[in-house]
Amino acid sequence: MSGISETPLDSYVINQTTMAILPVEEGKRVYSKVIERETSFYVELKPMQIIERSCRFFGSSYAGRKAGTYEVTGISHKPPTDRKTLNIKGFVGDDPVF
């Protein structure tokens, strides 16, 4: 992975220390670089997969959170999705690697 010697994790759940989830292309695969308050590491999932799985882990869905955000804010393009349980706001871009 671009000279990174660490082994990527196979899964990750967004939590209170999550600061960013960035796409990293390695050959034909897309990984995520997760940046937490005091560390960073790679995960073998695309950023959107981490977001969707984290929503499900906390008993919701990305589509449901996106629809709820639209109802409250009227924002439909690149809406902030509030994860109140985690006190995190996520902004999903229209980057094809998501």
Side-chain angles (χ1 to χ4, degrees), residues 2-80:
S2 303
I4 304 297
S5 61
E6 65 187 77
T7 303
L9 300 175
D10 60 356
S11 66
Y12 179 75
V13 175
I14 295 170
N15 60 69
Q16 292 175 331
T17 64
T18 307
M19 304 298 290
I21 303 170
L22 307 171
V24 176
E25 293 185 63
E26 180 68 23
K28 294 185 178 188
R29 295 204 51 196
V30 177
Y31 296 84
S32 293
K33 180 176 184 178
V34 175
I35 301 172
E36 292 186 338
R37 285 189 191 125
E38 305 213 5
T39 189
S40 65
F41 46 87
Y42 293 90
V43 180
E44 290 183 339
L45 300 170
K46 294 178 182 180
M48 195 65 203
Q49 290 174 306
I50 292 174
I51 292 168
E52 289 172 342
R53 289 178 183 197
S54 294
C55 288
R56 286 194 308 268
F57 179 84
F58 289 104
S60 186
S61 69
Y62 175 72
R65 292 193 181 261
K66 186 175 175 180
T69 298
Y70 178 76
E71 289 295 320
V72 173
T73 66
I75 298 171
S76 62
H77 185 71
K78 296 186 184 182

